Amino acid sequence: MSLPIADKLPGVLAEIAETTGRENALKIAAAVGGTRVYFPIKINGDHWLSKLIGHEAAIALTEKITANGAHIEITLGPHGERARLSSRIF
């Protein structure tokens, strides 16, 4: 039995995956993971998020995670965490 998409990703990435899919959550983690980013109330097609995951997905995401615009800490994701730990070991 496999886990839901959200159970496989840390932090806010789980919520992003539930809303826009795992692939988009990983794209966001790769682009801005480990930083705090602003998600506006309304998003246009020229916004970095729309360009990264597509405008419709970006709209769905901003509607889900913020009603008034918000700064959100984006976790590194599974590859970032694994890479950071590996660099400490070796």
Side-chain angles (χ1 to χ4, degrees), residues 4-26 28-29 61 64-65 72-78:
I5 291 171
D7 290 343
K8 298 178 183 180
L9 295 173
V12 72
L13 292 179
E15 189 171 356
I16 293 170
E18 286 293 329
T19 305
T20 67
R22 181 178 176 82
E23 182 178 325
N24 285 335
L26 293 175
I28 292 168
L61 182 57
K64 170 75 176 183
I65 65 174
I72 297 176
E73 186 76 29
I74 305 296
T75 53
L76 290 173

Side-chain angles (χ1 to χ4, degrees), residues 67-85:
N68 299 314
H71 286 89
I72 297 176
E73 186 76 29
I74 305 296
T75 53
L76 290 173
H79 302 294
E81 293 294 326
R82 193 173 302 125
R84 187 166 30 129
L85 290 173

Side-chain angles (χ1 to χ4, degrees), residues 25-58:
L26 293 175
K27 284 180 185 179
I28 292 168
V32 295
T35 66
R36 187 178 170 115
V37 296
Y38 181 74
F39 288 84
I41 297 169
K42 294 190 180 201
I43 194 163
N44 63 41
D46 291 328
H47 192 273
W48 68 267
L49 187 60
S50 291
K51 291 178 180 180
L52 183 66
I53 66 172
H55 190 58
E56 294 301 317

